[in-house]
Short mmCIF file of all heavy atoms in Angstrom, two decimals:
data_model
loop_
_atom_site.label_atom_id
_atom_site.label_comp_id
_atom_site.label_asym_id
_atom_site.label_seq_id
_atom_site.Cartn_x
_atom_site.Cartn_y
_atom_site.Cartn_z
N HIS A 339 52.86 11.97 22.17
CA HIS A 339 54.05 11.28 21.72
C HIS A 339 54.03 11.36 20.19
O HIS A 339 52.96 11.33 19.59
CB HIS A 339 54.02 9.81 22.14
CG HIS A 339 54.30 9.60 23.59
ND1 HIS A 339 53.39 9.86 24.57
CD2 HIS A 339 55.41 9.14 24.20
CE1 HIS A 339 53.92 9.56 25.74
NE2 HIS A 339 55.15 9.12 25.55
N THR A 340 55.19 11.43 19.58
CA THR A 340 55.26 11.50 18.12
C THR A 340 55.96 10.26 17.58
O THR A 340 56.78 9.64 18.26
CB THR A 340 55.98 12.77 17.64
OG1 THR A 340 57.28 12.82 18.24
CG2 THR A 340 55.18 14.02 18.00
N LEU A 341 55.63 9.92 16.35
CA LEU A 341 56.25 8.78 15.67
C LEU A 341 56.86 9.28 14.37
O LEU A 341 56.24 10.07 13.64
CB LEU A 341 55.21 7.68 15.43
CG LEU A 341 54.76 7.07 16.76
CD1 LEU A 341 53.33 7.39 17.04
CD2 LEU A 341 55.06 5.61 16.81
N TRP A 342 58.07 8.80 14.11
CA TRP A 342 58.88 9.27 12.99
C TRP A 342 59.37 8.09 12.19
O TRP A 342 59.72 7.05 12.74
CB TRP A 342 60.08 10.06 13.51
CG TRP A 342 59.69 11.22 14.36
CD1 TRP A 342 59.22 11.21 15.65
CD2 TRP A 342 59.70 12.60 13.98
NE1 TRP A 342 58.96 12.47 16.09
CE2 TRP A 342 59.25 13.36 15.08
CE3 TRP A 342 60.08 13.26 12.81
CZ2 TRP A 342 59.14 14.73 15.04
CZ3 TRP A 342 59.98 14.63 12.77
CH2 TRP A 342 59.51 15.36 13.87
N HIS A 343 59.41 8.24 10.87
CA HIS A 343 59.97 7.21 9.99
C HIS A 343 61.07 7.86 9.18
O HIS A 343 60.83 8.82 8.44
CB HIS A 343 58.90 6.65 9.05
CG HIS A 343 59.42 5.61 8.11
ND1 HIS A 343 59.70 5.89 6.80
CD2 HIS A 343 59.74 4.31 8.31
CE1 HIS A 343 60.15 4.80 6.21
NE2 HIS A 343 60.18 3.82 7.10
N ARG A 344 62.29 7.38 9.39
CA ARG A 344 63.45 7.93 8.69
C ARG A 344 63.54 9.45 8.84
O ARG A 344 63.84 10.17 7.89
CB ARG A 344 63.45 7.55 7.22
CG ARG A 344 63.58 6.08 6.96
CD ARG A 344 63.64 5.81 5.49
NE ARG A 344 63.89 4.40 5.22
CZ ARG A 344 64.02 3.91 4.02
NH1 ARG A 344 63.93 4.70 2.95
NH2 ARG A 344 64.23 2.63 3.84
N GLY A 345 63.23 9.92 10.04
CA GLY A 345 63.35 11.34 10.34
C GLY A 345 62.17 12.20 9.91
O GLY A 345 62.20 13.41 10.07
N ILE A 346 61.12 11.59 9.37
CA ILE A 346 59.94 12.34 8.92
C ILE A 346 58.77 11.99 9.85
O ILE A 346 58.47 10.82 10.08
CB ILE A 346 59.58 12.00 7.46
CG1 ILE A 346 60.74 12.34 6.54
CG2 ILE A 346 58.31 12.73 7.04
CD1 ILE A 346 60.57 11.85 5.12
N LEU A 347 58.12 13.02 10.37
CA LEU A 347 56.97 12.83 11.25
C LEU A 347 55.86 12.08 10.52
O LEU A 347 55.46 12.48 9.42
CB LEU A 347 56.45 14.19 11.74
CG LEU A 347 55.26 14.15 12.68
CD1 LEU A 347 55.62 13.51 14.01
CD2 LEU A 347 54.72 15.57 12.90
N ILE A 348 55.39 10.97 11.12
CA ILE A 348 54.29 10.23 10.48
C ILE A 348 53.00 10.31 11.30
O ILE A 348 51.95 9.90 10.81
CB ILE A 348 54.67 8.76 10.22
CG1 ILE A 348 54.99 8.01 11.50
CG2 ILE A 348 55.80 8.67 9.20
CD1 ILE A 348 55.13 6.50 11.33
N GLY A 349 53.07 10.81 12.53
CA GLY A 349 51.85 10.96 13.31
C GLY A 349 52.13 11.08 14.78
O GLY A 349 53.28 11.17 15.21
N GLU A 350 51.04 11.09 15.53
CA GLU A 350 51.15 11.24 16.98
C GLU A 350 50.07 10.45 17.68
O GLU A 350 49.09 10.02 17.05
CB GLU A 350 51.08 12.71 17.37
CG GLU A 350 49.77 13.37 17.01
CD GLU A 350 49.73 14.84 17.41
OE1 GLU A 350 50.78 15.49 17.50
OE2 GLU A 350 48.61 15.33 17.64
N THR A 351 50.26 10.27 18.98
CA THR A 351 49.29 9.59 19.81
C THR A 351 49.36 10.14 21.23
O THR A 351 50.42 10.55 21.68
CB THR A 351 49.51 8.06 19.85
OG1 THR A 351 48.47 7.45 20.63
CG2 THR A 351 50.87 7.69 20.43
N ASN A 352 48.22 10.17 21.87
CA ASN A 352 48.15 10.39 23.31
C ASN A 352 47.81 9.01 23.86
O ASN A 352 46.67 8.59 23.78
CB ASN A 352 47.06 11.39 23.68
CG ASN A 352 47.37 12.76 23.15
OD1 ASN A 352 46.97 13.09 22.03
ND2 ASN A 352 48.09 13.54 23.91
N PHE A 353 48.82 8.29 24.35
CA PHE A 353 48.57 6.94 24.82
C PHE A 353 47.48 6.95 25.87
O PHE A 353 47.44 7.82 26.73
CB PHE A 353 49.86 6.32 25.37
CG PHE A 353 50.86 5.97 24.31
CD1 PHE A 353 52.09 6.58 24.27
CD2 PHE A 353 50.55 5.02 23.34
CE1 PHE A 353 53.01 6.25 23.29
CE2 PHE A 353 51.46 4.69 22.36
CZ PHE A 353 52.70 5.30 22.34
N GLU A 354 46.59 5.97 25.78
CA GLU A 354 45.49 5.85 26.73
C GLU A 354 46.03 5.25 28.03
O GLU A 354 47.02 4.56 28.04
CB GLU A 354 44.39 4.95 26.18
CG GLU A 354 44.04 5.12 24.71
CD GLU A 354 43.73 6.53 24.25
OE1 GLU A 354 43.36 7.38 25.07
OE2 GLU A 354 43.87 6.80 23.06
N GLY A 355 45.36 5.50 29.12
CA GLY A 355 45.76 4.93 30.40
C GLY A 355 46.90 5.70 31.04
O GLY A 355 47.32 6.75 30.56
N ASP A 356 47.42 5.13 32.11
CA ASP A 356 48.44 5.84 32.87
C ASP A 356 49.86 5.33 32.62
O ASP A 356 50.80 5.75 33.29
CB ASP A 356 48.12 5.77 34.36
CG ASP A 356 48.10 4.35 34.90
OD1 ASP A 356 48.40 3.41 34.14
OD2 ASP A 356 47.79 4.19 36.09
N GLY A 357 50.01 4.37 31.70
CA GLY A 357 51.33 3.87 31.38
C GLY A 357 51.84 2.80 32.32
O GLY A 357 52.99 2.40 32.24
N THR A 358 50.97 2.29 33.19
CA THR A 358 51.42 1.27 34.12
C THR A 358 51.13 -0.14 33.62
O THR A 358 51.51 -1.11 34.25
CB THR A 358 50.76 1.45 35.50
OG1 THR A 358 49.34 1.35 35.35
CG2 THR A 358 51.15 2.77 36.13
N GLY A 359 50.46 -0.26 32.46
CA GLY A 359 50.18 -1.58 31.90
C GLY A 359 51.47 -2.29 31.54
O GLY A 359 52.49 -1.67 31.25
N ARG A 360 51.44 -3.61 31.57
CA ARG A 360 52.61 -4.41 31.26
C ARG A 360 52.30 -5.35 30.11
O ARG A 360 51.17 -5.85 29.99
CB ARG A 360 53.06 -5.24 32.48
CG ARG A 360 53.48 -4.38 33.66
CD ARG A 360 54.78 -3.65 33.33
NE ARG A 360 55.22 -2.82 34.44
CZ ARG A 360 55.23 -1.50 34.41
NH1 ARG A 360 54.79 -0.86 33.36
NH2 ARG A 360 55.68 -0.81 35.42
N ALA A 361 53.29 -5.60 29.28
CA ALA A 361 53.12 -6.50 28.14
C ALA A 361 53.10 -7.95 28.61
O ALA A 361 54.03 -8.39 29.27
CB ALA A 361 54.25 -6.29 27.14
N ARG A 362 52.04 -8.66 28.31
CA ARG A 362 51.90 -10.10 28.59
C ARG A 362 52.29 -10.47 30.01
O ARG A 362 53.00 -11.45 30.22
CB ARG A 362 52.71 -10.90 27.58
CG ARG A 362 52.27 -10.65 26.18
CD ARG A 362 53.11 -11.43 25.22
NE ARG A 362 53.05 -10.79 23.94
CZ ARG A 362 52.53 -11.31 22.86
NH1 ARG A 362 52.04 -12.50 22.89
NH2 ARG A 362 52.51 -10.65 21.74
N GLY A 363 51.89 -9.66 30.96
CA GLY A 363 52.16 -9.98 32.35
C GLY A 363 53.61 -9.81 32.77
O GLY A 363 53.99 -10.15 33.87
N GLY A 364 54.44 -9.27 31.88
CA GLY A 364 55.85 -9.09 32.19
C GLY A 364 56.12 -7.76 32.87
O GLY A 364 55.23 -7.13 33.43
N THR A 365 57.35 -7.34 32.81
CA THR A 365 57.76 -6.11 33.49
C THR A 365 57.88 -4.93 32.54
O THR A 365 58.08 -3.81 32.99
CB THR A 365 59.11 -6.31 34.18
OG1 THR A 365 60.08 -6.67 33.19
CG2 THR A 365 59.02 -7.39 35.25
N ARG A 366 57.79 -5.18 31.25
CA ARG A 366 57.96 -4.09 30.29
C ARG A 366 56.68 -3.27 30.16
O ARG A 366 55.59 -3.82 30.00
CB ARG A 366 58.34 -4.64 28.92
CG ARG A 366 59.69 -5.30 28.92
CD ARG A 366 60.01 -5.84 27.57
NE ARG A 366 61.38 -6.33 27.55
CZ ARG A 366 61.95 -6.86 26.50
NH1 ARG A 366 61.28 -6.97 25.37
NH2 ARG A 366 63.19 -7.27 26.55
N PRO A 367 56.82 -1.94 30.21
CA PRO A 367 55.64 -1.09 30.06
C PRO A 367 55.03 -1.22 28.66
O PRO A 367 55.75 -1.27 27.67
CB PRO A 367 56.19 0.33 30.25
CG PRO A 367 57.49 0.14 30.96
CD PRO A 367 58.02 -1.18 30.51
N HIS A 368 53.71 -1.31 28.62
CA HIS A 368 52.98 -1.41 27.37
C HIS A 368 52.06 -0.20 27.25
O HIS A 368 51.35 0.14 28.19
CB HIS A 368 52.16 -2.70 27.31
CG HIS A 368 51.40 -2.82 26.04
ND1 HIS A 368 50.06 -2.55 25.98
CD2 HIS A 368 51.79 -3.13 24.79
CE1 HIS A 368 49.65 -2.71 24.73
NE2 HIS A 368 50.68 -3.06 24.00
N LEU A 369 52.08 0.42 26.09
CA LEU A 369 51.27 1.60 25.82
C LEU A 369 50.46 1.38 24.55
O LEU A 369 50.95 0.75 23.60
CB LEU A 369 52.17 2.82 25.62
CG LEU A 369 53.22 3.08 26.70
CD1 LEU A 369 54.23 4.10 26.22
CD2 LEU A 369 52.54 3.54 27.96
N ALA A 370 49.26 1.91 24.49
CA ALA A 370 48.46 1.83 23.28
C ALA A 370 47.59 3.07 23.20
O ALA A 370 47.17 3.61 24.22
CB ALA A 370 47.60 0.57 23.29
N GLY A 371 47.34 3.51 21.97
CA GLY A 371 46.49 4.67 21.80
C GLY A 371 46.08 4.87 20.36
O GLY A 371 46.59 4.21 19.44
#
Side-chain angles (χ1 to χ4, degrees):
H339 285 76
T340 56
L341 293 113
W342 302 74
H343 179 259
R344 296 183 175 181
I346 300 171
L347 180 66
I348 61 170
E350 62 180 26
T351 183
N352 294 91
F353 288 117
E354 319 308 338
D356 61 4
T358 60
R360 298 291 180 249
R362 301 179 203 244
T365 60
R366 294 179 174 181
H368 180 258
L369 309 167

